[in-house]
Amino acid sequence: MFFEVLYLKKLLNTVVCYVHLLRNAGDEVTITVQYLREAPSFLKLPLGSPGPSSDHSSGASSPLFDSGLHLNGNSTNTAPSSPSSPIANEPKYEKRWLDTLSVPLSMARISRYKAGTDKLRSNAFEVLALDGVSTGILQFYTAQESADWLRAISTNISDLTLQNMKMANKCCSPSDQVIHMGWVNERLEGTDSSQLYKFKFLALKGSSFYIFSTPPVSTLDWVRAEKIYNLCEVLFKIHKLWLADDCWLQANLYLGIHQDFDLEDQRPYCFSVMVGHGKSHYFNVELGSELAVWEKSFQRAIFLEVQRTGSKTYMCSWQGDTLCFTVDFALGFTCFDSKTKNVLWRFKFSQLKGSSDDGKTRVKLLFQNLDTKQIETKELEFQDLTAVLHCIHSFIAAKVASVDPVFIDSQSIARKYMYSN
């Protein structure tokens, strides 16, 4: 009892001292928590000596319990002593972990950012399970140690996600396979123009791009997505790859990236997915390798959907006439009358020499006539011009990829960055 009272008095004095220091500290305080190895010597208790017991089964605490020394009442865990030994019947103390926390990594996510900010934690990150259980902030001594653990855990999560994808694909038709899925951070625009990121789960499946608030764990969950877009009508774009200004400048010069000043923030590894009616979703991932995987996955999913679909037709108008505009993987561009079905004009993909639009509904397509070598201008108006332009881009990119697969890899900004570093 005397040792416990002495320990508590010392602890109280320490707490008062810490409170005084915190009150006089600056805006930012760094606290390092370490195991108290000096507890046994402070309490004047050698490892083999008896001491005050505690009810461990009920979770009661004592100075011995808090210092990491636990009474070992199991005689099978200690070496047998001879009957003549004076300490044969004395209790023994052993060191063991006080607490354990098991967090399943299947569908788990990682965060390196301080809550509600764009600031990275120094040598630390947090792992959150599918059910929201958190490891708490995992702090490491060095940046290298933190990076090693971050990559190891991220790789484990990716492998488990791949297993979940394979299981889901067993229940899907060949045309409705999951290409890729995983966690990202989506930037949300508040009413006060403040930037706020929120975890979202993205999936590329069949003909659609899905945005979830929680991962789909059953076939019924796929219809409960927050947003669903047709892959032919979305456009993937990388915005940032690195955090440091000098590295970002170097990436600009080497990769030819143009920074969007209206999208500036403190987070690296950012990309956007532009959809119909001029809307877009702005995302951030934790690692550069994840950015490269998303870029490649979007390209693959879009190309597969273009080849699977074959063609897309949109209603349009020009000078009061209702027309149909078709983008066909084999034939190129065709425009015909919606009533008579008479073909008004048709051009191959290679004949498209340029285009311009008013950003609203009207687009001008410039085609080269193969016979006269003259440029012909075709003007059309669409209700959702952005979706049509994205569709044209998807079909042309898929056409080029079918002819020259190496071209797509050469245009991959994320993979260029990964190789250069």
Side-chain angles (χ1 to χ4, degrees):
M1 184 65 182
F2 170 75
F3 293 111
E4 292 190 14
V5 172
L6 181 62
Y7 179 83
L8 291 175
K9 287 183 178 180
K10 184 67 174 180
L11 181 61
L12 182 59
N13 292 334
T14 303
V15 171
V16 172
C17 180
Y18 286 159
V19 170
H20 177 73
L21 290 175
L22 290 174
R23 285 179 176 176
N24 294 278
D27 295 335
E28 185 173 345
V29 178
T30 301
I31 299 177
T32 302
V33 180
Q34 293 181 326
Y35 170 67
L36 185 59
R37 298 181 182 276
E38 294 79 13
S41 58
F42 169 73
L43 296 174
K44 307 301 182 181
L45 291 175
L47 290 180
S49 64
S53 61
S54 61
D55 185 4
H56 292 182
S57 61
S58 62
S61 177
S62 72
L64 285 178
F65 183 80
D66 293 336
S67 67
L69 297 178
H70 296 263
L71 185 63
N72 180 10
N74 188 352
S75 60
T76 60
N77 293 336
T78 59
S81 302
S82 61
S84 59
S85 175
I87 61 171
N89 297 323
E90 291 182 356
K92 304 295 181 182
Y93 292 90
E94 63 178 8
K95 290 186 177 182
R96 67 169 182 260
W97 292 108
L98 297 180
D99 298 295
T100 59
L101 178 64
S102 177
V103 176
L105 294 181
S106 179
M107 297 292 190
R109 59 187 187 270
I110 297 175
S111 176
R112 296 188 295 158
Y113 296 91
K114 297 179 180 179
T117 71
D118 289 332
K119 297 182 178 179
L120 282 169
R121 298 184 184 276
S122 178
N123 303 343
F125 59 86
E126 180 182 14
V127 182
L128 298 99
L130 176 61
D131 58 1
V133 174
S134 171
T135 59
I137 307 304
L138 304 177
Q139 184 73 47
F140 300 89
Y141 283 104
T142 64
Q144 183 61 49
E145 186 179 9
S146 176
D148 291 342
W149 274 104
L150 182 64
R151 280 191 294 267
I153 296 177
S154 178
T155 300
N156 197 305
I157 293 175
S158 298
D159 292 342
L160 293 173
T161 301
L162 182 60
Q163 294 180 17
N164 291 328
M165 288 170 47
K166 291 180 178 180
M167 293 178 60
N169 286 336
K170 291 181 180 180
C171 305
C172 301
S173 63
S175 62
D176 198 32
Q177 297 285 292
V178 180
I179 302 300
H180 186 60
M181 60 184 185
W183 286 102
V184 299
N185 300 291
E186 182 178 13
R187 194 182 72 176
L188 306 177
E189 296 293 344
T191 55
D192 58 350
S193 299
S194 62
Q195 297 179 0
L196 177 65
Y197 279 86
K198 187 175 182 180
F199 277 113
K200 296 291 182 179
F201 192 86
L202 308 185
L204 304 174
K205 182 177 182 288
S207 62
S208 301
F209 163 52
Y210 296 83
I211 301 179
F212 297 91
S213 57
T214 57
V217 295
S218 67
T219 55
L220 296 177
D221 291 338
W222 289 96
V223 299
R224 299 170 184 168
E226 292 183 352
K227 301 288 183 180
I228 302 177
Y229 301 103
N230 185 279
L231 281 170
C232 291
E233 298 177 351
V234 302
L235 184 64
F236 180 93
K237 181 181 179 182
I238 288 179
H239 288 283
K240 290 204 299 184
L241 290 168
W242 195 244
L243 182 62
D245 293 336
D246 54 344
C247 295
W248 172 238
L249 178 61
Q250 183 179 3
N252 277 344
L253 297 175
Y254 178 73
L255 303 173
I257 305 175
H258 300 288
Q259 185 173 10
D260 298 314
F261 291 97
D262 59 326
L263 294 177
E264 282 187 348
D265 53 36
Q266 298 300 315
R267 298 196 177 205
Y269 314 128
C270 299
F271 68 92
S272 66
V273 179
M274 291 173 278
V275 296
H277 296 288
K279 298 180 180 179
S280 65
H281 296 271
Y282 188 75
F283 301 108
N284 152 262
V285 290
E286 301 289 338
L287 300 173
S289 57
E290 293 180 314
L291 184 62
V293 171
W294 276 114
E295 182 187 31
K296 183 177 181 180
S297 300
F298 263 94
Q299 290 176 349
R300 181 188 173 199
I302 292 173
F303 298 162
L304 289 176
E305 178 56 21
V306 168
Q307 295 175 348
R308 184 166 48 243
T309 302
S311 66
K312 294 278 291 184
T313 300
Y314 297 91
M315 297 296 295
C316 61
S317 62
W318 180 244
Q319 295 181 346
D321 295 328
T322 302
L323 308 174
C324 291
F325 176 75
T326 299
V327 187
D328 189 279
F329 187 72
L331 301 177
F333 306 99
T334 303
C335 186
F336 58 91
D337 189 280
S338 61
K339 297 178 180 178
T340 64
K341 306 301 180 183
N342 293 330
V343 176
L344 303 179
W345 48 264
R346 175 177 288 146
F347 296 96
K348 297 180 180 179
F349 288 114
S350 59
Q351 292 179 265
L352 180 64
K353 300 304 178 181
S355 65
S356 62
D357 62 86
D358 62 358
K360 298 178 181 179
T361 61
R362 185 176 299 183
V363 62
K364 291 182 180 181
L365 300 175
L366 307 179
F367 297 101
Q368 184 180 45
N369 189 300
L370 295 179
D371 297 327
T372 64
K373 305 300 181 182
Q374 298 296 316
I375 299 297
E376 298 183 15
T377 302
K378 304 298 182 182
E379 295 189 37
L380 299 171
E381 291 186 359
F382 296 90
Q383 184 177 4
D384 188 355
L385 178 60
T386 306
V388 177
L389 296 180
H390 291 171
C391 181
I392 293 175
H393 178 274
S394 297
F395 271 76
I396 292 178
K399 192 68 175 181
V400 174
S402 66
V403 177
D404 183 13
V406 180
F407 172 79
I408 300 301
D409 285 337
S410 66
Q411 299 300 306
S412 174
I413 295 177
R415 284 196 288 278
K416 275 185 181 180
Y417 167 77
M418 297 299 293
Y419 296 151
S420 67
N421 285 273

